[in-house]
Amino acid sequence: MRLVLVGPPGAGKGTQAEFISAHLGVPKISTGDIFRANVSQGTPLGQQARAYMDAGDLVPDEITVGMVQDRLAEDDAGKGFLLDGFPRTVPQASTLDDLLLQAGTPLDVVLELVVDDDEVVRRLSGRRTCRNCGHIWHIDFDPPSTEGICDSCGGELFQRDDDKPDTIRHRLEVYYEQTSPLVGYYAEQGILVGIDAMGPVDDVTGRAIDALRRYGQ
Ligand code: AP5
């Protein structure tokens, strides 16, 4: 299955992507994770992306699209994939459509995680991510048993630089200006499914899996 998750920052895309990709048996491809890995390794790609990410702006399409194209060409994506954080603009979506149509493998479904702005701020201000395995925690909603340590692998937890209050507000503005038009774009194609992403993580996962059952998954 070829699936895209769309939704505002903090909607729970990364959290749900872990469960849904495991359920579907397809790789999770997160552009945010790929950029962050490049930033921490100090690669040329990371150096190009860093200033945009720290400011809460989008990395330019010409950098992002080539990176995703390379990742989709890897063997494991041949059986399907879950894209988290891409596309983020209508030009990115249209380029992705062209690539997939050329390969005869169009997208099957786009899940939109719907959540309100106050909840976004609550979720992002308390997020902690494992430096080792990437698992996502929350200091109130899903705390690890020992503060600062990942229960899954014992790795160190960190707070993302772009989760500061001013940057969160700016990322929301960027979402409404540049990314939310994707909702109409995919609705017109008849492949958009809205998921109520308020409430506990397990409930949201259940709604997403129920929606995918309608596609035989
Ligand atoms: P990216 O990493 O994609 O950030 P984002 O879209 O802003 O999304 P987040 O990762 O902040 O949130 P999420 O929806 O994944 O929520 P999460 O599951 O972590 O991108 C970062 C940057 O990279 C961008 O700003 C941009 O610069 C660049 N970039 C990336 N892709 C790009 C592209 N295509 N084009 C250009 N630039 C790009 O959950 C958040 C918190 O809430 C966690 O603590 C979690 O535990 C908690 N939580 C989750 N679900 C629930 C729930 N149901 N109840 C309570 N708490 C919950």
Side-chain angles (χ1 to χ4, degrees):
M1 175 171 242
R2 292 170 295 279
L3 173 84
V4 165
L5 279 186
V6 70
K13 300 182 296 297
T15 302
Q16 295 303 330
E18 271 187 51
F19 297 115
I20 298 171
S21 61
H23 172 80
L24 295 174
V26 297
K28 169 189 110 150
I29 299 176
S30 158
T31 42
D33 287 351
I34 300 174
F35 281 134
R36 277 185 291 279
N38 277 276
V39 168
S40 68
Q41 289 157 18
T43 67
L45 177 65
Q47 283 162 15
Q48 282 178 299
R50 179 169 205 151
Y52 297 103
M53 297 176 74
D54 284 351
D57 287 322
L58 295 184
V59 179
D61 288 351
E62 50 275 24
I63 299 174
T64 308
V65 168
M67 179 182 88
V68 173
Q69 193 168 0
D70 290 347
R71 179 62 186 89
L72 289 178
E74 289 179 29
D75 284 348
D76 64 341
K79 62 183 175 185
F81 50 78
L82 183 159
L83 283 170
D84 159 21
F86 183 91
R88 217 44 169 250
T89 62
V90 170
Q92 288 183 9
S94 150
T95 307
L96 177 67
D97 279 350
D98 292 345
L99 281 173
L100 295 178
L101 282 175
Q102 275 167 25
T105 54
L107 286 176
D108 295 302
V109 62
V110 175
L111 294 184
E112 179 200 3
L113 299 185
V114 181
V115 62
D116 66 45
D117 290 359
D118 290 343
E119 182 69 6
V120 160
V121 175
R122 272 193 292 275
R123 289 185 186 179
L124 292 183
S125 339
R127 170 166 55 190
R128 299 292 183 272
T129 307
C130 176
R131 214 176 274 291
N132 181 44
C133 72
H135 188 84
I136 301 162
W137 299 92
H138 191 284
I139 52 171
D140 298 318
F141 304 136
D142 184 18
S145 43
T146 308
E147 195 185 324
I149 305 289
C150 178
D151 282 0
S152 307
C153 74
E156 180 203 0
L157 304 186
F158 73 99
Q159 183 167 27
R160 278 172 42 174
D161 288 339
D162 59 352
D163 281 346
K164 296 177 196 122
D166 284 353
T167 317
I168 293 173
R169 273 190 290 279
H170 181 62
R171 284 163 63 203
L172 268 170
E173 286 165 13
V174 169
Y175 174 77
Y176 288 116
E177 276 167 27
Q178 300 191 51
T179 306
S180 66
L182 291 179
V183 171
Y185 177 90
Y186 286 123
E188 264 181 38
Q189 294 188 11
I191 58 171
L192 183 83
V193 178
I195 304 287
D196 173 8
M198 297 292 286
V201 170
D202 290 352
D203 291 1
V204 180
T205 308
R207 284 177 214 133
I209 303 281
D210 280 350
L212 293 176
R213 288 215 178 91
R214 281 179 251 137
Y215 291 81
Q217 300 293 325

